[in-house]
Amino acid sequence: MNSTRRVRHMDSGAVSVLATTYVLSLISLIMLNVSFNPLKATLVFMLMLFNALSLTKVHLRLISRPRPLDYALLIINLLPYSYLLYIKYGLLGVTPSIGLLLIFVIETLRGKGRGAVANVAGTVLMASVYLPWYIMMGGSLHPVVFYIDIVWLTYHAFSSTYVEGKLPFRLIKPWVSSLVWFTSLVLVTYVVIGYLDTSVYYFIPLIEPTIRAIHALWEDKLNPNEVRLRIRRIGWGGLAESLLLLLLLVLILLQLKALLPLG
């Protein structure tokens, strides 16, 4: 009898995206709203744990050898979000996630679940639950929420595209991530100028990704012999950078708390 136990892997990157996204949603809720419902916050936390413990494992199987059971578990993970279709502003919050989910599922059905498009869509999909979770916890919409949502989503789109561009076996180049980021800056600037005051602190969280995006314009792909080591370093660096972005967004919320009309 073979006593060796098979190690079950989990997508740690996806777990970190879900965890940091919940933290950002919860802090946004506390900072931008007068009332706070502990029950709703707890239910969303349980949903986050359920997604982290099951959906991330399903994701790994969907991009390799999907089974009907995997698609069934995916649907079970998504069902709680149908609640958003029955509350005010719910459809607005879930629309970006639906689009990203469709892209991921289509790529998976095409047998390209391990491709760059599916990987980027999957990462941004998990970051896109910021707004649905905020709404499900009872948060009221404010332009600052849309600003944070756009910055959070485009940052993860930029970071995941950058990683894909560094891999020697991908067709895309690192500069594609720069294009993603610079395009997003137009949308962020529009939100800031059109719906918020033009204070410079709204642009502070954009400085570090912008510097990286400029640098990526001249970067080459990784040497095939050092992919494993370098990708691990890039992954840890990406986590540190996402935590820095989270901190900067929280500092903006702290600074604006006394100035925003809460409700």
Side-chain angles (χ1 to χ4, degrees):
M1 179 177 178
N2 188 358
S3 60
T4 303
R5 299 180 61 184
R6 183 178 179 181
V7 179
R8 301 183 66 184
H9 297 280
M10 179 179 289
D11 190 341
S12 57
V15 173
S16 66
V17 172
L18 288 172
T20 53
T21 299
Y22 175 79
V23 171
L24 185 58
S25 296
L26 182 61
I27 294 176
S28 300
L29 176 77
I30 295 173
M31 295 295 177
L32 300 177
N33 295 269
V34 173
S35 60
F36 172 72
N37 189 320
L39 177 60
K40 289 184 177 180
T42 301
L43 290 174
V44 174
F45 176 73
M46 293 173 64
L47 176 59
M48 185 274 292
L49 285 181
F50 180 59
N51 289 161
L53 295 175
S54 61
L55 184 57
T56 52
K57 292 183 180 179
V58 171
H59 167 255
L60 292 177
R61 290 198 293 265
L62 286 176
I63 63 177
S64 55
R65 296 180 179 178
R67 303 166 299 176
L69 181 62
D70 297 324
Y71 288 105
L73 188 55
L74 174 63
I75 294 174
I76 293 174
N77 272 268
L78 298 177
L79 279 178
Y81 295 96
S82 62
Y83 167 74
L84 289 165
L85 302 177
Y86 300 96
I87 62 177
K88 187 177 182 181
Y89 305 122
L91 184 60
L92 178 63
V94 80
T95 297
S97 300
I98 292 176
L100 292 163
L101 176 64
L102 287 176
I103 293 174
F104 174 76
V105 172
I106 290 173
E107 288 296 293
T108 301
L109 292 175
R110 295 176 60 205
K112 297 184 177 181
R114 291 185 177 274
V117 174
N119 286 339
V120 172
T123 300
V124 184
L125 172 62
M126 294 182 185
S128 74
V129 292
Y130 162 79
L131 190 54
W133 283 349
Y134 174 82
I135 296 174
M136 292 170 77
M137 287 189 286
S140 58
L141 294 185
H142 187 279
V144 171
V145 176
F146 290 110
Y147 159 81
I148 293 176
D149 186 49
I150 294 171
V151 172
W152 192 245
L153 264 63
T154 53
Y155 170 80
H156 283 88
F158 161 65
S159 295
S160 55
T161 305
Y162 173 79
V163 172
E164 295 296 319
K166 293 292 289 185
L167 296 175
F169 49 84
R170 296 293 194 218
L171 294 178
I172 65 172
K173 304 292 185 179
W175 62 262
V176 176
S177 64
S178 305
L179 181 62
V180 171
W181 180 251
F182 292 135
T183 302
S184 72
L185 287 182
V186 177
L187 182 58
V188 175
T189 303
Y190 171 78
V191 172
V192 172
I193 295 177
Y195 298 95
L196 299 167
D197 64 83
T198 54
S199 300
V200 68
Y201 47 71
Y202 286 113
F203 296 97
I204 293 178
L206 311 179
I207 295 176
E208 188 274 335
T210 300
I211 294 174
R212 282 203 294 138
I214 293 174
H215 190 264
L217 289 171
W218 292 277
E219 287 191 30
D220 295 322
K221 288 183 173 292
L222 296 175
N223 187 312
N225 297 324
E226 58 179 6
V227 169
R228 185 183 297 270
L229 177 62
R230 291 289 302 279
I231 283 297
R232 183 174 299 177
R233 291 178 179 175
I234 291 174
W236 282 109
L239 176 58
E241 289 153 359
S242 67
L243 290 175
L244 173 62
L245 177 63
L246 172 64
L247 175 62
L248 292 174
L249 293 175
V250 169
L251 290 177
I252 286 178
L253 288 170
L254 285 171
Q255 185 170 355
L256 298 180
K257 183 178 180 181
L259 303 177
L260 295 175
L262 305 179

